[in-house]
């Protein structure tokens, strides 16, 4: 997938029962993207995994285009990791984003079952 899209989270903000992620997506292909599915793995400052979830991003990205935006995510989306995510609010953390599927504007897709 990394040859088709570059995806990362550069900043986070905790507020209430939500973590907001500043997501960067760069479409490395010439085809326009309609949506992206990705897995998120959150680690604390010691490297211990504190959260795991999946997200769906429904924003168009032009061929070879870049998109950056804030993505709010409620802690309950982390299921059994919601408690550890709440306890880590306001503390340093890193987030690894792994794109699992790309749906293109022309109806084709990449990932998931490839």
């Amino acid at each position: 997938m990394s040859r088709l899209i570059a995806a990362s989270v550069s900043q986070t903000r905790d507020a209430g029962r939500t973590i907001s992620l500043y997501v960067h997506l760069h479409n490395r292909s010439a085809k326009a993207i309609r949506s992206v599915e990705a897995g998120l793995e959150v680690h604390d400052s010691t490297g211990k995994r504190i959260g795991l979830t999946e997200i769906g991003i429904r924003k168009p990205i032009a061929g070879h285009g870049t998109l950056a935006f804030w993505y709010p995510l409620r802690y309950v989306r982390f299921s059994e990791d919601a408690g550890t995510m709440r306890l880590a609010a306001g503390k340093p953390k890193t987030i690894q984003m792994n794109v699992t599927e790309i749906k293109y504007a022309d109806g084709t897709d990449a990932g998931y079952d490839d």
Side-chain angles (χ1 to χ4, degrees), residues 14 75 85-93:
D14 295 292
Y75 291 134
M85 288 298 295
R86 276 194 298 271
L87 291 172
K91 297 178 182 171
K93 54 186 87 53

Side-chain angles (χ1 to χ4, degrees), residues 17-77:
R17 296 183 171 127
T18 304
I19 184 169
S20 293
L21 315 172
Y22 196 63
V23 176
H24 295 266
L25 298 174
H26 175 67
N27 183 355
R28 293 181 170 165
S29 75
K31 293 172 30 171
I33 292 175
R34 183 178 70 218
S35 65
V36 173
E37 301 290 325
L40 299 177
E41 191 169 321
V42 183
H43 296 257
D44 66 11
S45 60
T46 67
K48 178 183 174 196
R49 186 184 66 82
I50 57 172
L52 191 64
T53 192
E54 295 178 348
I55 62 171
I57 299 168
R58 312 282 183 266
K59 292 183 180 269
I61 308 169
H64 300 292
T66 300
L67 185 64
F69 56 94
W70 283 99
Y71 188 93
L73 188 61
R74 296 191 48 92
Y75 291 134
V76 296
R77 293 278 312 272

